[in-house]
Amino acid sequence: MAYDHEQGVYDLGTKNDVYEKTENKDIELYNGEQVVQDNGILSKLRRLEARMDARLGIESEAITRKRPEDKKPVRWYETLTMFSLWASGTMNTSCFATGFIGVVDFGLNLRQTIGLVIAGTFLGSALTGYAATFGARTGLRQISVSRYAFGWWPNKIIALLNTIVQLGWAAVACITGGLALTAVADGHLSLIVGIVILAVFATIVSFVGLNAVLIYERYAWIAFFIVFMVFYGETGKYADNSPGLSTLEGADLSAACLTIFAISYGSSTSWQTMASDYYTQYPANTSRVKIFFLTTFGIAIPTCIGLIAGAVVASGFNNQPAWKDSYGEGLGFLIQTMLHPLGFAKFILVILVLSGIGVNVISIYSAAISCQQFARPFSRIPRFIWTLLCFAVILGLAVGGREKLNTYLTNFLSLLGYWCTQYFVILASEHIIFRKNNFDNYNLEGWNDPDVLPVGIAAATAFGLGIIAWVMGMNETWYVGPLSKLIGTYGGDLANEFTFAVTLIIFIPARYLELKYFGK
């Protein structure tokens, strides 16, 4: 660390690591915050992070706004990363496992399941595609972007919820990937060890930073796509495509359809609270239309490939009893049973383990960034420390939920959709109605200043009442809301539809009042 006597600053060699000299101490500008630079543990960790950034590019100031003048032109293949990033993160064993739910748990036939999966997935992906368009234009991570809609204080709740979402996704990926590893080892490798292996590899990539994440995700999807084409080739002929596979009628059929739609929608829309994290490096004038479609299709198409593959295999259980028996032993053993020859099946399982790493990489990376936005003191803790803490939490969640994967998926994915629907309503309403769909109406220099950002009363009120709405309409194994109970014997999931309406109706007039009385 060298001191520049002409400028009166200390320079660590990177553009953001500048220290302003005061009476007896230095003040560090770190993640948009001025913090005391001394010999304390946090200061030492930040200096260590800065040195690793200079050598490895691990992003020592991950949440700091990327200004237009600091961005470099992107090459054509870097633009295509907007598609491949999501394809690598979504076409995995978690999606494949989720595809079984419609047939196995809700009694739908293959045709019904495919239609619901496509509709729910594309709608959820479109919401994520819209959220992604804010990244390049603002230079801000998604949780920082939402400060302009939710306000300084309420947005901290969004940061917490997003962290929970990403950790939950990573845990699911660890379980499904661990099941694959267990099957490869013919049961000689415990599921817990498999989970640990998945989490460790993903944490290493996330630790290095965005550049490593993008390089991995840019190419990984190709291998996963080939694997799923093999799935279709070897299992499609056993699929039961007859309408008689389902005996559901009337209200019970409607209830099952609503719930499967909610699960498919939730699995895709949950990415919107971190979508901008991967677009801040793109030039500010990058076409929002291009970003929207590449992101939407990058999530929807690969997700549908995985979900439908699961539904196809599940529909074949009546034709292939051995599949059903091995499914009870674990997802990896099912894949080993349905693919031939055995050596080839194990090779496919090894590749699928890498697919679990793909979703873990982006989930851990974004979870660590969200953790830095819980509060000002949290932003001063280096990102790599948060990455390690997230790793520990993921291990706990995955090990604890490893024996009940379908229950985990059914409840977790539906819950994701509920609050992410509210997030979209508030973010889009703020941008379209109150900021006139114009980024010039954002004070981007004040992204980290509570005095510039909205108070957040409108967003907090709409979000709180929206939670009540989705609790009334939700359909989970542990709770069925009063509105949900009105549909069929076991209830149908109406939470997304109801919370969309309530959040929209409350937020718009409340935001008008907030602007009138607070002026921001």
Side-chain angles (χ1 to χ4, degrees):
M1 181 175 67
Y3 182 72
D4 187 327
H5 292 277
E6 289 187 285
Q7 299 295 325
V9 297
Y10 286 96
D11 190 354
L12 283 179
T14 59
K15 64 175 180 279
N16 290 321
D17 295 317
V18 178
Y19 302 84
E20 183 180 337
K21 192 74 174 175
T22 58
E23 293 178 358
N24 297 312
K25 296 180 179 179
D26 300 322
I27 299 296
E28 176 187 3
L29 184 64
Y30 182 81
N31 274 331
E33 302 282 355
Q34 287 190 338
V35 295
V36 174
Q37 171 68 13
D38 52 27
N39 288 320
I41 182 64
L42 284 181
S43 294
K44 291 179 180 178
L45 288 173
R46 286 193 292 268
R47 288 196 291 271
L48 172 62
E49 184 185 46
R51 287 193 292 271
M52 289 192 293
D53 188 11
R55 291 176 173 82
L56 303 174
I58 68 165
E59 290 185 289
S60 61
E61 295 190 39
I63 65 174
T64 301
R65 179 179 171 238
K66 306 301 184 288
R67 300 174 184 275
E69 59 271 21
D70 294 331
K71 300 181 182 183
K72 300 177 181 178
V74 297
R75 288 156 286 194
W76 65 269
Y77 61 85
E78 292 173 324
T79 299
L80 293 180
T81 302
M82 297 179 194
F83 177 93
S84 60
L85 165 72
W86 305 107
S88 296
T90 56
M91 195 160 35
N92 51 48
T93 48
S94 299
C95 262
F96 181 61
T98 306
F100 287 79
I101 295 175
V103 176
V104 173
D105 294 286
F106 288 90
L108 294 170
N109 63 41
L110 182 58
R111 295 180 185 180
Q112 293 165 338
T113 302
I114 289 176
L116 291 165
V117 160
I118 292 175
T121 299
F122 269 86
L123 178 60
S125 300
L127 269 57
T128 299
Y130 178 79
T133 64
F134 287 78
R137 184 61 181 82
T138 63
L140 293 170
R141 309 293 182 153
Q142 194 68 57
I143 296 302
S144 297
V145 168
S146 57
R147 287 176 176 178
Y148 290 90
F150 286 84
W152 178 263
W153 294 106
N155 195 61
K156 298 180 185 300
I157 298 174
I158 301 302
L160 175 61
L161 289 172
N162 183 53
T163 301
I164 294 171
V165 166
Q166 304 315 326
L167 295 180
W169 264 124
V172 169
C174 282
I175 295 171
T176 54
L179 288 169
L181 274 179
T182 300
V184 171
D186 295 324
H188 299 302
L189 179 74
S190 75
L191 178 55
I192 293 178
V193 174
I195 288 170
V196 171
I197 292 172
L198 264 291
V200 167
F201 273 99
T203 302
I204 290 172
V205 178
S206 298
F207 178 88
V208 176
L210 184 58
N211 289 335
V213 171
L214 294 180
I215 291 171
Y216 176 85
E217 305 288 4
R218 186 177 297 150
Y219 304 106
W221 69 275
I222 300 173
F224 310 149
F225 177 77
I226 294 172
V227 166
F228 277 100
M229 292 305 102
V230 170
F231 279 11
Y232 283 110
E234 292 214 21
T235 64
K237 58 186 176 183
Y238 300 109
D240 186 347
N241 199 28
S242 63
L245 183 64
S246 173
T247 58
L248 295 174
E249 295 180 339
D252 286 343
L253 176 59
S254 298
C257 289
L258 283 168
T259 303
I260 292 301
F261 179 87
I263 291 171
S264 303
Y265 163 82
S267 71
S268 298
T269 199
S270 60
W271 300 111
Q272 67 175 291
T273 52
M274 44 87 90
S276 286
D277 294 358
Y278 303 95
Y279 294 86
T280 56
Q281 78 278 13
Y282 288 98
N285 61 356
T286 303
S287 169
R288 292 186 73 201
V289 174
K290 181 193 295 183
I291 293 173
F292 172 79
F293 280 109
L294 284 174
T295 303
T296 299
F297 291 143
I299 295 172
I301 294 174
T303 299
C304 284
I305 288 173
L307 289 172
I308 294 173
V312 166
V313 174
S315 73
F317 281 177
N318 291 335
N319 299 327
Q320 294 289 311
W323 290 5
K324 189 173 185 178
D325 293 339
S326 59
Y327 179 68
E329 296 179 44
L331 191 66
F333 290 101
L334 168 62
I335 295 172
Q336 194 166 275
T337 301
M338 71 188 197
L339 299 182
H340 299 283
L342 179 61
F344 176 69
K346 289 190 174 184
F347 173 72
I348 292 295
L349 283 168
V350 171
I351 296 178
L352 283 175
V353 169
L354 298 177
S355 75
I357 294 174
V359 64
N360 272 6
V361 164
I362 56 178
S363 294
I364 294 172
Y365 177 79
S366 288
I369 289 175
S370 290
C371 288
Q372 288 187 307
Q373 299 189 66
F374 290 164
R376 287 189 186 277
F378 288 74
S379 70
R380 299 164 189 172
I381 299 174
R383 185 185 66 85
F384 77 90
I385 298 297
W386 286 117
T387 298
L388 296 176
L389 292 174
C390 288
F391 163 76
V393 173
I394 289 165
L395 282 183
L397 290 173
V399 170
R402 68 189 186 280
E403 301 297 340
K404 297 182 179 180
L405 178 60
N406 269 18
T407 301
Y408 198 153
L409 286 168
T410 304
N411 292 328
F412 177 63
L413 295 181
S414 297
L415 284 170
L416 296 187
Y418 303 157
W419 80 268
C420 287
T421 296
Q422 296 179 270
Y423 181 89
F424 170 78
V425 169
I426 293 173
L427 181 73
S429 297
E430 175 70 24
H431 182 70
I432 296 170
I433 298 174
F434 299 102
R435 299 189 188 267
K436 311 301 181 186
N437 203 29
N438 189 343
F439 284 100
D440 290 337
N441 292 325
Y442 289 77
N443 181 351
L444 295 176
E445 296 297 328
W447 71 274
N448 205 34
D449 186 354
D451 294 333
V452 172
L453 299 167
V455 177
I457 295 175
T461 303
F463 196 80
L465 293 176
I467 290 175
I468 296 174
W470 58 254
V471 168
M472 293 180 65
M474 68 192 292
N475 180 24
E476 306 291 342
T477 55
W478 47 274
Y479 177 77
V480 180
L483 287 178
S484 178
K485 289 179 180 178
L486 300 177
I487 305 176
T489 305
Y490 303 104
D493 200 309
L494 285 170
N496 287 300
E497 295 83 351
F498 194 37
T499 197
F500 180 93
V502 170
T503 305
L504 185 67
I505 291 170
I506 298 299
F507 178 73
I508 293 176
R511 184 69 175 116
Y512 273 115
L513 291 173
E514 184 178 296
L515 283 169
K516 179 179 179 180
Y517 289 103
F518 294 97
K520 61 176 184 175

